[in-house]
Amino acid sequence: MTHDDKKKLELFALTMREDILKSTTAAGSGHPGGSLSAADYIAYLYEKEMRYDAKNPKLETRDRFVLSKGHAAPALYAALAHEGFFPVEDLMTLRKSTSHLQGHPCMNTTPGVDMSTGSLGQGISAAVGMAKGAKILNLDVNVYCLNGDGEIAEGEVWEAMMFAAHYKLDNLCVAVDVNGLQIDGKTSDVMNTEPLDKKFEAFGARVIKADGHNFDEIEKALNFFHENKNSGQPTVILLKTIKGKGVSFMENAVGWHGKAAKPAECDKALAELEEARKKILEA
Amino acid sequence: MSDMKKIATRDSYGATLVELGKIDKRIVVMDADLAGSTKSGMFGKEFPDRFFNCGIAEENMIGVAAGLSTMGLIPFVSTFAMFAVCRPYEQIRNSVGYPHLNVKICASHGGISVGADGASHQCCEDFALMRTIPQMLVMCPSDDIEARQMVKAAYKYNGPVYIRLARAATPVYHDENYQFEVGKGEIVSDGSDVAIIANGIVLPEVVKAAEILKAEGISARVINMGTIKPIDKDLVIAAAKECGKIITVEEHTIIGGLGEAVCSVLAENYPAPVKRLGINDVYGYSAEAEELMQAFGLCADNISATAKDFVKR
């Protein structure tokens, strides 16, 4: 990856983070922590990885993205808006009665949302269905799914992985946002889902670990996915991430799972991000 | 009715899937390890590339169907009603119903006529659960002819559909000229003293009950309500106006099924006395299907006796 490419990605993700904070604060609710941990991966998918046409969001041959951890909707919405699926101004209407931006992704209201999600464990089954559908239809379509590490406790996730391996869905790339925290505390305390690599391998996937905030590593992991195509196995990327990434007082703090920042807190967070922007531009 | 040809509606389903599969390549069929029983396997035999087993993992099967439908395919998914509806209710609600996806859930083995397998497999809650999902079509055919047309209607409708099919072979009382229409009930035989509204495999018993009543001088109108949702309001209201009293008969809990759907229409439009026959807040148990239908009153004798009593009151 060139220096300029990386800079562009970092700035895109930073803008997403600003919008995650601003939109959830304007809404007075939402899930900033898990949106911030997923922001870099989602930024990479929409900036570098996926094939789509924002002006033709239903294009049959587009790659699909399913946000199985649907509560990270503010991150997805920010990416979609900045890629031109809908006006950026819409982001500030998040969770309002007149908005197309539902609290969790809704495919029938928001252009660019490929599957309605929010109930954990379900998005991955739909992603698997899309990957199987692409094979049946002989379409060169990649399906990307993003799960949370708390979500992994849902049995349906493992039913879906079994299916993906059984039907050799090597066009499926499942990423897990391993931020280590969920609503009631540390994932390791609430319900330990580790060792994730061994579990996914045992279910027939090819697994790679990556730092979910390092674009070189994300790129490497997605290249691993492309190398695996025609292997007959689905790919799983375990993204080591920090919940609340980019905002000092939100990082690794359980309390920011499902709580929006108050306006003063949001201003403080945005000031931190502004400093980060300067550093990126200077680099 | 005893001399009529008997066919199980699950067989009608399998045969119709094959017929539809020939004309539309978008049709894909899934099952959860019961393809032999639900008859979805008939499609699998004919079109192995468009049939796949999901294993005993129904929640995932519903989600996979949702994903397939977003790709423009038309998935039909089958297993026993208990595992097609009760187990993955929330998946149906959130991954199929909420996005209004074109998924057809066609379950066999609904009701107590499942028989000897016992209460764990006797699904008497499927209509109630499926009725609560916005814009979900809920249907149950009363014989082979209606089942075939219902499956075709489900295929033509762009959105989620639930159809309950039966395990047991039952009389084919419709002739080839019968025209099923979604949301429309059918007056099987006319009458004016009481209207008996039913669907599914109890319908032939209701027809028999009407014959018994006729012999005793009571004129019963028999209505086949193949679509439980959206229910044919006009037909229900007309029955109340013209017959005065209504009996509903269903192989289902009387909580939330056909009986309550009829009551809702009447309560809001034309209040009339209703007697609901069905499973009354209890579980079934292991026995032969016929024995259970008798025990739970879903037989001509009980239906006619109930009607006689009800009309006199």
Side-chain angles (χ1 to χ4, degrees):
Chain A
M1 196 182 305
T2 67
H3 178 75
D4 282 354
D5 278 353
K6 198 184 286 180
K7 202 166 180 172
K8 197 172 158 238
L9 278 166
E10 285 171 352
L11 289 171
F12 189 87
L14 190 113
T15 303
M16 279 173 63
R17 288 197 161 87
E18 289 170 342
D19 283 326
I20 289 164
L21 292 161
K22 286 193 271 186
S23 62
T24 51
T25 293
S29 66
H31 300 81
S35 299
L36 292 167
S37 67
D40 295 312
Y41 183 70
I42 293 174
Y44 189 95
L45 286 183
Y46 280 92
E47 278 289 277
K48 295 270 286 181
E49 174 69 13
M50 289 170 53
R51 299 162 294 180
Y52 61 87
D53 176 0
K55 297 294 161 229
N56 185 8
K58 297 279 181 199
L59 185 71
E60 193 190 19
T61 53
R62 73 191 188 279
D63 289 334
R64 267 58 166 191
F65 176 60
V66 178
L67 184 63
S68 200
K69 51 171 285 182
H71 53 282
L76 173 61
Y77 295 159
L80 292 174
H82 288 286
E83 295 296 1
F85 283 90
F86 53 82
V88 172
E89 305 88 79
D90 292 3
L91 293 175
M92 297 307 283
T93 67
L94 175 70
R95 290 174 168 244
K96 297 281 197 287
S97 64
T98 52
S99 180
H100 66 88
L101 299 171
Q102 296 297 296
H104 293 82
C106 176
M107 66 188 289
N108 292 341
T109 59
T110 303
V113 171
D114 290 323
M115 181 65 200
S116 300
T117 53
S119 178
L120 295 177
Q122 295 191 27
I124 187 170
S125 291
V128 163
M130 290 172 186
K132 176 71 178 161
K135 294 260 183 194
I136 292 169
L137 294 164
N138 254 321
L139 292 172
D140 174 26
V141 165
N142 294 329
V143 182
Y144 301 88
C145 183
L146 181 61
N147 290 76
D149 58 343
E151 179 185 14
I152 293 303
E154 289 281 4
E156 187 178 352
V157 170
W158 302 102
E159 293 182 3
M161 286 310 301
M162 234 185 301
F163 185 103
H166 185 83
Y167 288 105
K168 303 183 168 32
L169 303 181
D170 50 19
N171 54 347
L172 175 71
C173 179
V174 174
V176 185
D177 182 5
V178 188
N179 60 36
L181 296 178
Q182 56 191 109
I183 299 178
D184 279 352
K186 287 182 185 170
T187 303
S188 57
D189 291 337
V190 175
M191 182 50 66
N192 185 24
T193 52
E194 295 287 353
L196 286 172
D197 52 348
K198 289 198 176 70
K199 282 180 181 147
F200 280 107
E201 274 163 7
F203 275 73
R206 295 194 174 202
V207 181
I208 187 167
K209 292 184 179 183
D211 177 341
H213 305 304
N214 179 318
F215 289 112
D216 285 318
E217 289 203 19
I218 291 172
E219 182 172 69
K220 203 175 121 205
L222 285 163
N223 285 340
F224 173 77
F225 164 57
H226 289 284
E227 287 156 18
N228 284 345
K229 289 196 74 178
N230 305 318
S231 70
Q233 285 179 276
T235 295
V236 169
I237 302 174
L238 299 175
L239 298 163
K240 182 78 198 79
T241 59
I242 294 168
K243 199 157 185 172
K245 172 72 179 175
V247 178
S248 62
F249 57 91
M250 288 186 175
E251 287 192 1
N252 282 321
V254 170
W256 290 101
H257 173 87
K259 183 180 75 173
K262 294 200 172 63
E265 292 167 328
C266 184
D267 287 345
K268 202 176 148 204
L270 291 173
E272 284 187 20
L273 291 173
E274 193 47 42
E275 281 304 307
R277 183 186 299 276
K278 279 183 200 154
K279 277 187 192 149
I280 296 168
L281 290 169
E282 281 163 11
Chain B
M1 199 138 298
S2 53
D3 53 343
M4 282 178 182
K5 189 165 71 170
K6 286 187 175 182
I7 300 175
T9 54
R10 57 177 170 155
D11 285 304
S12 327
Y13 169 61
T16 309
L17 278 184
V18 172
E19 203 181 311
L20 290 172
K22 283 178 186 158
I23 58 167
D24 195 333
K25 285 196 157 55
R26 295 172 302 166
I27 293 178
V28 291
V29 177
M30 288 190 287
D31 208 301
D33 197 34
L34 289 166
S37 290
T38 66
K39 303 299 175 184
S40 68
M42 289 165 73
F43 182 94
K45 209 170 165 193
E46 193 81 14
F47 309 104
D49 295 344
R50 286 188 278 146
F51 173 84
F52 31 100
N53 216 314
C54 295
I56 308 168
E58 297 82 5
E59 296 167 23
N60 181 56
M61 178 165 74
I62 296 294
V64 169
L68 288 165
S69 75
T70 70
M71 303 298 287
L73 295 163
I74 307 174
F76 280 73
V77 301
S78 294
T79 177
F80 290 178
M82 187 64 79
F83 318 121
V85 172
C86 297
R87 164 75 64 105
Y89 172 77
E90 199 233 318
Q91 279 74 12
I92 299 171
R93 194 268 187 201
N94 274 323
S95 287
V96 174
Y98 176 44
H100 197 70
L101 292 174
N102 198 21
V103 172
K104 319 300 172 189
I105 300 161
C106 299
S108 70
H109 293 62
I112 51 159
S113 59
V114 165
D117 278 348
S120 62
H121 285 54
Q122 294 163 349
C123 182
C124 298
E125 302 84 7
D126 48 344
F127 300 153
L129 289 168
M130 290 297 95
R131 277 181 71 216
T132 62
I133 294 178
Q135 308 308 313
M136 172 74 76
L137 293 191
V138 184
M139 306 193 282
C140 180
S142 58
D143 72 357
D144 168 67
I145 301 275
E146 189 171 43
R148 287 168 186 266
Q149 294 195 27
M150 225 173 239
V151 174
K152 286 179 189 167
Y155 158 70
K156 283 181 193 148
Y157 173 77
N158 185 18
V161 177
Y162 174 68
I163 299 179
R164 180 212 271 194
L165 304 155
R167 185 191 71 86
T170 51
V172 184
Y173 74 98
H174 285 108
D175 65 29
E176 293 289 343
N177 297 321
Y178 173 66
Q179 292 278 324
F180 169 77
E181 199 183 324
V182 173
K184 294 283 174 213
E186 172 204 13
I187 296 179
V188 178
S189 60
D190 209 359
S192 55
D193 296 330
V194 62
I196 310 177
I197 304 176
N199 63 20
I201 62 167
V202 294
L203 222 289
E205 289 298 311
V206 175
V207 172
K208 262 193 256 174
E211 284 162 10
I212 297 171
L213 289 166
K214 195 177 169 188
E216 301 190 24
I218 295 169
S219 156
R221 177 179 297 182
V222 176
I223 293 175
N224 170 27
M225 199 62 86
T227 315
I228 298 148
K229 186 187 168 191
I231 197 159
D232 190 341
K233 284 185 186 173
D234 294 344
L235 197 64
V236 172
I237 295 166
K241 282 183 180 167
E242 292 158 20
C243 305
K245 291 178 176 176
I246 307 270
I247 295 175
T248 59
V249 188
E250 58 193 316
E251 195 196 351
H252 187 273
T253 165
I254 59 168
I255 299 167
L258 175 67
E260 281 200 359
V262 166
C263 287
S264 304
V265 171
L266 294 176
E268 290 182 351
N269 296 283
Y270 194 85
V274 179
K275 174 80 188 155
R276 288 171 295 152
L277 292 181
I279 317 301
N280 190 358
D281 209 23
V282 289
Y283 291 100
Y285 49 87
S286 290
E288 287 306 311
E290 192 77 1
E291 274 180 272
L292 288 165
M293 296 300 269
Q294 295 272 345
F296 284 94
L298 300 172
C299 54
D301 287 348
N302 184 58
I303 297 165
S304 58
T306 303
K308 216 168 125 184
D309 236 40
F310 193 44
V311 168
K312 273 194 215 147
R313 248 191 275 160

